[in-house]
Amino acid sequence: MLKSKTFMKKTRSGGVLKIVREHYLRDDITCGCEGCEECSQENPVLQLETVLQSSLCTSPHYLLPDTNVLLHQVDILEDPIIQNVIVLQTVLQEVRSRSAPVYKRIRDIINNSEKYFYTFTNEHHRDTYIEQERGETANDRNDRAIRTAAKWYNNHIKKSKNMAHLQVLLITNDRKNMEKALEEGIVAYTCEEYIKSLVANPELVDRLAAVFDEKNEIESGKLIFSEHVPLSKLQQGIKSSIYVQGTFRASRDNYLEATVWVHGDDTEHKEIIIQGLRNLNRAMHEDVVAVELLVKENWVAPSSVVLQDDEESDDIESTEEKEKILKTGVQANAKPSGKIVGIIKRNWRPYCGMLARSQIKESTRHLFTPADRRIPRIRIETRQASTLEGQRIIVAIDGWPKNSRYPNGHFVKNLGTAGDKETETEVLLLEHDVPHQPFSQAVLSFLPKMPWSITPQDMKHRINLRHLYVCSVDPPGCTDIDDALHCRELENGNLEVGVHIADVSHFIRPGTALDQESANRGTTVYLCEKRIDMVPELLSSNLCSLRSEVDRLAFSCIWEINQDAQIINTKFTKSVINSKASLTYAEAQMRIDSPTMNDEITKSLRLLNKLAKILKRRRIDNGALTLSSPEVRFHLDSETHDPIDLQTKELKETNSMVEEFMLLANISVAQKIYDEFPEYALLRKHPAPPPANYDILVKAAKSKDLEIKTDSAKALADSLDKAESLAFPYLNTLLRILATRCMMQAVYFCSGLDNDFHHYGLASPIYTHFTSPIRRYADVIVHRLLAVAVGADTTYPDLMDKHKAAEICKNINFRHKMAQYSQRSSVAFHTQLFFKTKGILNEEGYILFVRKNAIVVLIPKFGLEGTVFFEEKDKVKPNLVYNDEIPSLKVENSTFYMFDKVKVRITLDASNLQHQKIRMALVEPEIPGITPLTKSDQSNSKGEPALKKSKLDK
Amino acid sequence: MAGLELLSDQGYRVDGRKAGELRKIQARMGVFAQADGSAYIEQGNTKALAVVYGPHEIRGSRSKTLHDRAVVNCQYSMATFSTGERKRRPHGDRKSTEMTLHLKQTFEAAILTQLYPRSQIDIYVQILQADGGNYCTCVNAATLAIIDAGIPMRDYVCACSAGFIEDTPLADLSYVEEAAGGPQLALALLPKSDQIALLEMNSRLHEDHLERVMDAATKACKDVYAVLDQAVKEHLQEVSAMLGDRGMA
Ligand SMILES: [Zn+2]
């Protein structure tokens, strides 16, 4: 094999260092064509019979796109219709170095066997490798390499008789490259030309990215923005402190204002204000930018004006008018201000939103309004404006030339009618950056082949626990069962308790596409009526799910515990279990409570329940907090999935039983992996909140003559227990809700990079997540660590790298936060649907917070929280007096204290289709001019559609 | 932004080789007339020169003398021009001392030292150009030089490195691949008996993967053997042709 090769050497010189690298050119790289008689290949990718029909090229053909086509038109390439494409190594490597997300998408396409994309390793091929010539730029050289490969393909194809009719088309948008290609006799088209020529696929055209020629741009129209400083100069400027680097944060309420959060700790100014369209200079939310500070005289104060971009024209004069309004801020409050001189890194993503149709009827250029108010409107070209009106669509940005008021983009996808349940779910997932696409072929290829069974190889480091009376207890309808339990009496009078967790890390091997995808997803996201899995369904609902009556692989944590719930010893082992029953909380409770049942499972449950009570008592004595937040569950109509009723979640004893053992397992595992890998353990901590966080809680309790102590978790827990009022039983719940709001977020971290491990809420010195690997990636890592610790599995370099661990933590912390936000949005959306059908309701609630011009009201019945504003646009402002010491707000003659009972009117405000919201207005106590008038008077109700609907219903 | 892709999805390495393929090896024996044995070898861009003196009487301190076998004395060095960045490398820097020790260990295991009691064999190896796998190239060069000197060995000592990237064992790492910092292993093997003369490993590798990497390294060593053996045979033919010519004259 060594001898059959032809060698050539390539020398790369750069700088002072002379680097000599070898490069072996091969003659055994195949073309990937099905009909080839020249190359002997096992699995040709490119089909002999192609389906694409183009009016430009009537014979069957393969596409050979250049780098820019891949980078910018990946939306098109992903379309199932585009097949039989040759991806050159040159192109793939350029894409890899220029955009990681696009590279990933291209790889997914290549791995999808239904797309027939073939990677041709042209840089190692004897006939297609070319040297960079003197005076030739790297870009020009790569373009030439692409042309060389295209030529090679066309010649190569001719050599096989049955492929003589085939053609390879070079797709490039680069004019120079195109001219040269045509000169050299290569058939080449621009992406646009080709896509437009496709027979029977006109809708693809809209998804073309708007690519413009930099050179032509200057001639058309006047410049609005100043040129961006190139990256190399920016870096110099940052080094020499002419510019500062920071993250751009657009304002939600004012499109002409933004702040830049300066990177680094030792900078003088943490926050720089950017005001005015020209200073904002095309920066967008989340971009990493370079800022130049203005001279002090030009510093401005942040304005409190709300400004929405609603211009129809490209004219920027009217914008300049608006900018004057901003200058009204008090000059004394002026803060460091600056202007954007360049973009270091764009953070563009596809945006959801709606089309605002151009007023010119025939126009194909329209403005798109993103759902996220921090993103400017985007100009797109489409001929289907009439169909897209009223729909939620996705648009991707292609660029923002300096003569354009808005960025240019292209239409990517129609999500469906705005307000539809499916559409809105899609929108909230996209807006919270929740990866929810179907799993790619590459990911699915790592799933076990069905029918699956346990092999002797699987049993190598595993013990057989099939004989144990293991059962699982979960909410009704749960299909991804992570955990199961057992308990039995030992001969010495002690008890053996086992927590068995799905052995997900057995199926998800490190570094595979499946692993990367789950690591990126980080968590399963539960919405009101939908679940977005972290791992493919075959695993989540079948092979990993610890269902009853089937053999399943598990990771078991087994304790010997005495009757006082003291742990005698702990053992961790991989195992095989066969669960005897999958119970709901209610079913398990019923078994425990019914004296006639005495089977093994029930006995086991009773023992567990007894131990759990002792464990819980002990935990609470140690200062663990039991807080509450009103959790709501929708009863969905089984047909339409519309919410028909709301119910606050009810907790049974068995909920707490399962929870206790999960906590115990998590703590035991945390200790074990930390002992074994003090530097690399993935743990979870919950920092104690700074004392100031509790101010509001203490003040609120004081106003009701109750004392809340906050010097320790235990003091807080005890004082919350004592804070009862006979006349007002709900007060305690309200206090606990408030206490929850004072807490910090719990986070994952790597033990080697932190020294504070304490979990405040659970009052545990160490904690981690081990018990839900099907739906949390943190648990998968913890499983791997534990498996290595007990010798059941192998390690890999990234597992023993604390910086890699820190990266994982950062991502899963972000994903968890986003999962929570999407869950809240989902609840909010379903609440809106619920109130849409209910019409106007008057409900009782409690004041949760008092603000300077509003009160926040909680309606326990719906778990719904809303704000009652006392200042409204275009209305006379009432007399408001706010007291910070005893949190209260005096409105005209009525004073509102925290926890006061009020009655509010709830309506749905659908005036803005993209941003519907629930509105609350005060009904009781009555305040003249504030409380809404009788129902028939609609003067101040903005929720007109809801109002009309309710009348129709009755 | 994105680091170097050491192994592409299509299975090609940075320099165009596949996972199990060696770099090109070129070897010449008898390059120095003054020495008892010498050899020059190129493995890709790694170039090494080995010179052997002996067996001869113990030089310097007599106390080193071993009564049952020969003393193997090794010296490893790197030419100042061998790396991209020029560095003065005094003899006896830590790396060289370590390499010297490894070579000594390797050849003490392979040379039939008991045939030459109370004598000494000197092996000097110098890296002229370094591009990964320095130790292995030195071993291969020294083997040829020892054969050239006519010193009997149990077997050829063939050495080759192997790494482990993206769950794939790679044979004969180049400098670029070594610099990536993954696990790497250097194996010196007596190919006929599969006996290991030396095995060294850098950075961590789980024992479960070890077998696969060892297999790759063993396979690579045997490939090296085929090339070295070919070089020896060619050299022999040349020499005997020369001798034959002389005999004719
Ligand atoms: Zn071919």
Side-chain angles (χ1 to χ4, degrees), chain A residues 22 24 26 96-97 107 794, chain B residues 1 3 15-16 21 24 44 208:
Chain A
E22 281 187 300
Y24 294 92
R26 318 181 62 102
R96 182 171 181 268
S97 67
R107 269 182 71 173
T794 61
Chain B
M1 193 172 75
D15 55 10
E21 291 175 349
K24 187 183 188 185
D208 285 16

Side-chain angles (χ1 to χ4, degrees), chain A residues 448-463:
Chain A
K449 303 283 165 286
M450 296 302 280
W452 174 85
S453 62
I454 298 168
T455 64
Q457 179 67 24
D458 295 336
M459 291 304 296
K460 212 168 143 198
H461 298 287
R462 229 172 255 286
I463 58 168

Side-chain angles (χ1 to χ4, degrees), chain A residues 1-2 5 7 17 20-24 26 29 96-98 103 107 119 121 124 793-795, chain B residues 1 3 5 9-10 12-18 21-24 44-45 84-85 131 176 206 208:
Chain A
M1 113 210 116
L2 181 75
K5 250 174 9 198
F7 308 119
L17 269 185
V20 182
R21 295 271 171 269
E22 281 187 300
H23 191 178
Y24 294 92
R26 318 181 62 102
I29 295 172
R96 182 171 181 268
S97 67
R98 284 171 57 187
Y103 179 67
R107 269 182 71 173
T119 318
T121 311
H124 296 324
D793 205 344
T794 61
T795 179
Chain B
M1 193 172 75
E5 191 183 39
D9 289 347
Q10 291 71 44
Y12 295 106
R13 293 157 69 173
V14 181
D15 55 10
R17 287 183 289 155
K18 290 199 166 177
E21 291 175 349
L22 301 181
R23 293 176 289 177
K24 187 183 188 185
N45 279 330
E85 220 176 331
D131 191 30
V176 183
H206 194 273
D208 285 16

Side-chain angles (χ1 to χ4, degrees), chain A residues 30-33 36-39 41 152 156 160 163:
Chain A
T30 55
C31 64
C33 308
C36 181
E37 294 153 12
E38 291 279 308
C39 314
Q41 44 194 347
W152 179 86
H156 183 79
S160 301
M163 294 210 296

Side-chain angles (χ1 to χ4, degrees), chain A residues 47-63 83-84 154 157-158 161-171 187 189 194 197-199:
Chain A
Q47 295 168 290
L48 191 56
E49 303 292 329
T50 61
V51 282
L52 268 187
Q53 285 196 332
S54 158
S55 56
L56 285 172
C57 177
T58 44
S59 55
H61 50 272
Y62 300 149
L63 303 178
Q83 297 177 352
N84 292 299
N154 276 322
I157 279 173
K158 299 276 164 339
K161 253 183 266 127
N162 53 358
M163 294 210 296
H165 61 292
L166 268 165
Q167 237 185 347
V168 171
L169 309 183
L170 175 67
I171 305 294
V187 188
Y189 298 110
Y194 179 76
S197 80
L198 283 181
V199 181

Side-chain angles (χ1 to χ4, degrees), chain B residues 3 22 46 56 62 84 98 104 107 109 121 147-148 160 184 189:
Chain B
L22 301 181
T46 303
H56 53 72
R62 300 254 154 207
E98 189 188 324
K104 189 174 153 72
F107 286 99
I121 297 167
I147 293 171
D148 188 37
C160 196
Q184 45 182 289
L189 193 75

Side-chain angles (χ1 to χ4, degrees), chain A residues 142-183:
Chain A
N142 286 345
D143 283 347
R144 192 157 60 85
I146 293 167
R147 292 196 304 273
T148 310
K151 244 188 300 183
W152 179 86
Y153 254 104
N154 276 322
N155 289 334
H156 183 79
I157 279 173
K158 299 276 164 339
K159 291 182 188 165
S160 301
K161 253 183 266 127
N162 53 358
M163 294 210 296
H165 61 292
L166 268 165
Q167 237 185 347
V168 171
L169 309 183
L170 175 67
I171 305 294
T172 176
N173 289 332
D174 184 290
R175 203 187 303 153
K176 232 170 65 193
N177 198 11
M178 168 81 76
E179 280 166 12
K180 286 194 176 155
L182 296 174
E183 256 169 53

